[in-house]
Amino acid sequence: MGAMGPWHIVIAVALSLVKFPVAWHQLSIVFLAPPTNFSCAAPISATNESTIMKCYVDVGNGTMEKCTSFKYDKRTFKESIITQWDLVCDREQLANFVQSCTMFGVLIGNLVFSIMADRIGRRKPLMIAIGLQSLTGFISAFVPWYGLFVLFKFISAVATGGTMLVSFVLLMEIVGVEWRSIMSVLFHIPFLLGHLMNPLISYLTRTWDGFQMAVSIPSIFLLSYYWIIPESPRWLLATGKLSRAEKILIKAADRNKIPIENVKKAIETYECSARIRQKQNEEKYNITHLFRTPNLRFKTICICINWFVCGSCFFGLAQYMGYIEGNSFVNVAISAAVELPGTVIVLFLISRVSRLRILISGNILSGLSLLLLTVISDSTFTVCLATLGLAGMAISFPTVYLYSSEAFPTVIRNVGIGLGSVCARTGSIIAPYIATMGKIKPWLPPVVFGIGPLLGALLCLLLPETMNCKLPETIEDGENYGK
């Protein structure tokens, strides 16, 4: 197929469109459940005391009763899930539960669709995930009950987890080795653009159901566009479907101006090497192999902590931007816009600078910026520092992904990256509760988010560099790597 040509570019662009709905669905909570001022509407207070942001009122003789009805400030948002289902007072954490369910759904989607993609191929699961994402996302805009909304939001998140995983795997399986690190970073840019579009979509709709419809409809058009996406030739070869693989490879070679006879030679060579590999790789590897030897176990723990930090800080800070004083649309737009230079920096440095130096720099930038928030009270500087924290995570996240793919030995590389992804999703499930801790103490979210990246940077000092090094192949190689 060649390393990169017109055939690859068309498919890469088509696959990248998946990342827009991924960002819209994963980062929508800041506009679905924005901070909302309320006042107690019933029962009526017997005193002249203000009922703004009060959950209990004095109904006479010092008797305090719980509010049963509320009035909301709807000047910025006409309707949100908070105003729709009264997610205030003792129901306040139900708004965070929506985001946690979303992230848990993404985690389940990663696991379910990864198994499906290995068994029936890459293309069909991708189509199923896109269709399910658009359908459930659209239905969730019309549900009358909170419980039903959470259910459809969860199913949509499962589909989102499938689209982001399968599209990335398919892209990595069609591009040449020398393009994989660059494409893995470029593939993240549509996600950032989707994040940047969130405040614009919310500003135009001003309602939670309008936002849900707006972000679900484009996925329907993606289904009609995806007829150009082929099955992964690598998966077809690995599962013995040589004739189907040959048709795709011939089409790719023709489009990329490569001699067709090269395809038959490549398939014959693959068949011979596959027989040899089948005899050599009889042992089945699983997640326990990551922890069986001391050096590999230590590296696995350090890498997983960095994944956890990236997941919790990135998604937590994305939500935290909506709670900072000022215009939430502007704050989120600024933070999303600054993520783009962070990704461009990674793209520029990834083949020139040590992986660990990039990861450490991103973590330190994020950690120090967030800790400075505890001593800065000016609203403008607060937005700037929080934005720098998110930019640091935009540098660290793609870097830890690439580092993991190089640090784990080949026989358990997918398992290692899968474990890291689970750690990142676990962090993102916890993140909403950290982001809203500012209601207890304003300094809590930046302190908790700030300590994590600094811990990750410290652990990076104990890890071996992987740039321009021969990748470990066996468990023994992984154990000896970096000693």
Side-chain angles (χ1 to χ4, degrees):
M1 295 185 293
M4 180 61 69
W7 184 81
H8 297 88
I9 292 170
V10 170
I11 295 172
V13 170
L15 288 172
S16 70
L17 296 179
V18 166
K19 300 291 280 186
F20 283 97
V22 168
W24 295 335
H25 287 283
Q26 278 192 298
L27 301 171
S28 62
I29 191 64
V30 68
F31 298 116
L32 295 179
T36 305
N37 292 328
F38 65 89
S39 60
C40 186
I44 303 298
S45 174
T47 66
N48 292 325
E49 187 179 11
S50 172
T51 60
I52 296 174
M53 305 300 283
K54 296 287 181 66
C55 299
Y56 290 85
V57 295
D58 187 345
V59 293
N61 299 322
T63 303
M64 303 297 291
E65 284 192 13
K66 180 181 175 182
C67 291
T68 57
S69 179
F70 303 89
K71 289 182 179 178
Y72 297 96
D73 179 0
K74 296 186 176 183
R75 286 175 294 179
T76 304
F77 295 92
K78 295 177 182 177
E79 198 75 74
S80 69
I81 63 171
I82 291 176
T83 60
Q84 180 82 26
W85 292 298
D86 291 331
L87 305 186
V88 294
C89 296
D90 57 344
R91 290 168 57 85
E92 182 180 4
Q93 291 302 326
L94 291 179
N96 288 333
F97 183 70
V98 172
Q99 182 66 357
S100 293
C101 277
T102 299
M103 291 305 175
F104 183 63
V106 172
L107 171 58
I108 297 299
N110 285 161
L111 297 174
V112 170
F113 280 92
S114 65
I115 296 170
M116 193 185 299
D118 283 339
R119 290 186 179 178
I120 66 173
R122 318 307 193 200
R123 191 174 185 274
K124 286 181 181 178
L126 183 60
M127 298 298 107
I128 293 170
I130 293 171
L132 189 62
Q133 181 188 61
S134 57
L135 180 63
T136 54
F138 190 77
I139 292 174
S140 67
F142 298 95
V143 294
W145 305 296
Y146 169 81
L148 205 56
F149 172 75
V150 172
L151 175 62
F152 280 106
K153 191 71 176 168
F154 173 78
I155 298 172
S156 178
V158 171
T160 299
T163 60
M164 60 192 291
L165 175 88
V166 180
S167 60
F168 182 80
V169 170
L170 184 53
L171 179 66
M172 291 297 102
E173 288 181 342
I174 67 166
V175 299
V177 176
E178 58 269 37
W179 280 88
R180 283 181 192 165
S181 60
I182 295 174
M183 292 304 295
S184 68
V185 178
L186 286 176
F187 193 60
H188 192 61
I189 289 179
F191 178 87
L192 302 182
L193 293 175
H195 186 192
L196 185 59
M197 291 173 68
N198 268 354
L200 175 61
I201 296 170
S202 181
Y203 180 79
L204 294 174
T205 57
R206 301 292 181 122
T207 61
W208 71 271
D209 49 353
F211 184 92
Q212 279 293 107
M213 283 190 286
V215 300
S216 300
I217 291 173
S219 296
I220 299 173
F221 294 100
L222 287 179
L223 275 174
S224 62
Y225 183 66
Y226 269 76
W227 61 270
I228 66 171
I229 301 297
E231 183 54 84
S232 166
R234 291 185 187 275
W235 181 83
L236 292 171
L237 289 169
T239 53
K241 298 176 174 60
L242 302 185
S243 59
R244 286 179 60 192
E246 185 176 1
K247 289 179 182 178
I248 295 172
L249 291 172
I250 288 174
K251 183 178 179 180
D254 180 59
R255 189 75 181 272
N256 290 340
K257 310 299 183 190
I258 293 172
I260 302 299
E261 54 268 19
N262 289 9
V263 173
K264 295 186 182 295
K265 292 178 184 177
I267 290 178
E268 289 172 4
T269 304
Y270 177 85
E271 282 187 279
C272 295
S273 61
R275 294 192 194 100
I276 297 171
R277 285 197 304 272
Q278 190 173 8
K279 292 178 181 178
Q280 291 177 341
N281 297 331
E282 293 180 354
E283 184 176 358
K284 300 294 182 183
Y285 294 95
N286 55 55
I287 195 170
T288 62
H289 286 82
L290 291 166
F291 300 94
R292 291 186 181 182
T293 54
N295 187 35
L296 184 56
R297 178 169 58 245
F298 178 76
K299 287 187 293 186
T300 299
I301 292 171
C302 291
I303 291 170
C304 284
I305 290 174
N306 269 279
W307 274 93
F308 177 85
V309 167
C310 286
S312 60
C313 287
F314 182 84
F315 291 102
L317 286 173
Q319 185 173 349
Y320 180 68
M321 292 302 300
Y323 295 97
I324 295 176
E325 185 181 348
N327 188 307
S328 59
F329 300 115
V330 175
N331 291 348
V332 174
I334 291 172
S335 64
V338 173
E339 290 170 30
L340 285 170
T343 305
V344 172
I345 288 171
V346 175
L347 186 63
F348 177 76
L349 296 178
I350 205 72
S351 58
R352 297 174 174 84
V353 181
S354 142
R355 318 288 195 226
L356 289 177
R357 285 182 182 176
I358 299 173
L359 184 55
I360 290 170
S361 299
N363 281 346
I364 290 177
L365 173 63
S366 186
L368 293 181
S369 299
L370 293 170
L371 290 180
L372 282 173
L373 279 174
T374 60
V375 295
I376 299 293
S377 57
D378 184 83
S379 59
T380 303
F381 283 109
T382 298
V383 173
C384 291
L385 288 172
T387 299
L388 283 176
L390 201 52
M393 286 296 98
I395 293 172
S396 296
F397 223 144
T399 308
V400 75
Y401 201 109
L402 179 59
Y403 180 83
S404 301
S405 67
E406 295 176 336
F408 290 120
T410 300
V411 293
I412 50 172
R413 184 164 293 131
N414 285 336
V415 174
I417 294 174
L419 178 61
S421 181
V422 167
C423 291
R425 300 301 155 213
T426 303
S428 64
I429 291 170
I430 299 170
Y433 300 98
I434 302 174
T436 54
M437 286 171 68
K439 295 177 181 178
I440 303 171
K441 293 288 182 182
W443 52 265
L444 274 174
V447 166
V448 176
F449 284 135
I451 291 173
L454 295 180
L455 174 61
L458 185 63
L459 292 175
C460 287
L461 297 174
L462 307 175
L463 291 171
E465 181 51 58
T466 60
M467 184 180 180
N468 298 327
C469 295
K470 183 182 177 182
L471 300 186
E473 298 287 343
T474 64
I475 297 294
E476 185 181 0
D477 291 341
E479 174 62 17
N480 293 328
Y481 195 77
K483 274 190 176 179

